Amino acid sequence: MGSNFGKYDVPPTLQRLIDLQNVLGDSEKFYLGLNFYLSLENFRYFNTPSDVVVFGNIGLDGVHYGFLTDFGTVTDLEVAPIVCVSPMNFDRPTRIVANNLCEFLRINLTDGELFYNQFDSEESYLVAKNQWIAETDQPSGYEKLVRERATKFLNENIRIPIIENPYRYVQKVDVERQRIISIKTQDGLGVTTPLLQGEKHIPFPIHKDTEPNLDWLQEYLYSAPIASRHAVLRDIQLNYILQENQKLNKTVIDAMINIKLIDEASRLSEYI
């Protein structure tokens, strides 16, 4: 788990999930109980943000979940926001879906589809949910037993909050994120790194159809405010597959190391 978790310890709630998998006996039973697989190694796609510590995946279309560390500024993964990465959604692959892992687990037990699908309204979500229920085969007695064991374990070992309206909760989480960002980014995540007194953000132009001028980019990555550098790193990872451009990749990795983003650089390097 080294490069994935970096400087972070496994948070208590995630440790309880690891314990649950051990109690159930294997990863398939864990999936039956919680609708995702644990992924504690460096399970990443090219557009998985470098400051995300992955902890799970749904086993379909590469969709995975992780803790957003905001470039290492989060002090404890137990309170880190949770993101869902849908790598096939190239325009906006990453969305914040919960304030922390405990709240994620509550939504996931009944309404996990909200994490990786987009709906125009609560009504459209409820229609889709009812249709999925109608089209899904009823669980077998074995599946019901595994789910009951998993739910019982969670209720006894993790303080899972009550969330009255999952749809509105997920929408609210996104709205609250937008309120705390200092600079917007093309992936919708933004950065929370503050601009210091006297600093001004001047965005660096990043477009997927045009390769950036590496000399200008390098100058920007070594001179712009730290918040601006974080923002352009997000935009670069959204628009380019770094392993297909070794010069750009080296420019990015070197610049990350220069501002002490060691874990983030390591995650990109291992994937590449």
Side-chain angles (χ1 to χ4, degrees):
M1 296 190 293
S3 62
N4 183 29
F5 279 79
K7 68 181 182 181
Y8 291 103
D9 295 327
V10 174
T13 299
L14 180 57
Q15 184 58 56
R16 296 291 81 76
L17 296 182
I18 297 171
D19 295 341
L20 171 59
Q21 179 161 282
N22 292 334
V23 168
L24 293 175
D26 59 49
S27 60
E28 292 301 325
K29 290 179 181 176
F30 184 93
Y31 178 83
L32 280 177
L34 274 80
N35 306 312
F36 70 92
Y37 296 97
L38 286 178
S39 298
L40 306 180
E41 304 298 333
N42 212 21
F43 182 101
R44 316 187 76 81
Y45 280 69
F46 76 93
N47 49 9
T48 305
S50 63
D51 56 340
V52 166
V53 176
V54 177
F55 67 81
N57 76 88
I58 70 168
L60 181 68
D61 293 333
V63 175
H64 52 289
Y65 303 123
F67 304 97
L68 180 64
T69 71
D70 280 315
F71 294 103
T73 59
V74 168
T75 57
D76 184 353
L77 295 184
E78 188 69 21
V79 296
I82 305 301
V83 297
C84 176
V85 183
S86 301
M88 299 302 105
N89 182 351
F90 300 114
D91 292 330
R92 190 179 177 185
T94 307
R95 294 177 182 271
I96 292 183
V97 295
N99 291 317
N100 53 61
L101 185 54
C102 287
E103 294 180 6
F104 165 89
L105 290 172
R106 169 55 65 198
I107 301 296
N108 180 70
L109 285 174
T110 57
D111 295 84
E113 295 86 358
L114 284 169
F115 298 149
Y116 44 85
N117 291 291
Q118 301 302 311
F119 302 93
D120 295 331
S121 66
E122 183 176 357
E123 290 72 21
S124 63
Y125 170 62
L126 293 176
V127 168
K129 182 179 180 180
N130 289 331
Q131 183 175 349
W132 293 329
I133 293 173
E135 295 175 349
T136 302
D137 294 335
Q138 291 298 310
S140 66
Y142 170 75
E143 291 171 336
K144 287 182 180 179
L145 178 62
V146 172
R147 292 174 186 176
E148 287 172 1
R149 289 184 65 194
T151 301
K152 183 175 184 291
F153 182 95
L154 293 181
N155 290 333
E156 291 178 350
N157 293 274
I158 300 175
R159 293 183 177 179
I160 300 182
I162 295 173
I163 297 176
E164 297 289 349
N165 189 306
Y167 177 86
R168 294 177 191 173
Y169 168 85
V170 172
Q171 299 300 310
K172 182 180 178 182
V173 167
D174 184 58
V175 170
E176 290 176 344
R177 173 68 180 187
Q178 299 308 310
R179 289 175 180 165
I180 67 170
I181 63 175
S182 58
I183 300 173
K184 292 185 178 182
T185 54
Q186 295 177 31
D187 61 3
L189 281 182
V191 296
T192 58
T193 311
L195 287 163
L196 303 180
Q197 186 174 3
E199 291 184 337
K200 181 180 179 181
H201 173 61
I202 301 176
F204 188 91
I206 294 291
H207 305 286
K208 65 178 61 180
D209 296 327
T210 305
E211 186 171 325
N213 182 297
L214 292 184
D215 291 334
W216 295 351
L217 177 61
Q218 185 173 41
E219 180 180 354
Y220 187 90
L221 287 171
Y222 285 81
S223 61
I226 296 297
S228 298
R229 301 187 214 184
H230 288 174
V232 76
L233 289 173
R234 289 216 190 284
D235 290 346
I236 287 172
Q237 223 187 322
L238 175 69
N239 287 283
Y240 307 117
I241 302 176
L242 289 175
Q243 73 269 28
E244 294 182 355
N245 189 327
Q246 291 303 310
K247 290 183 179 179
L248 175 59
N249 170 58
K250 186 177 187 308
T251 298
V252 168
I253 295 293
D254 289 349
M256 294 172 78
I257 293 173
N258 179 62
I259 54 175
K260 312 302 181 186
L261 296 179
I262 307 302
D263 289 347
E264 291 76 8
S266 177
R267 293 183 193 114
L268 284 183
S269 296
E270 180 162 310
Y271 167 75
I272 289 165

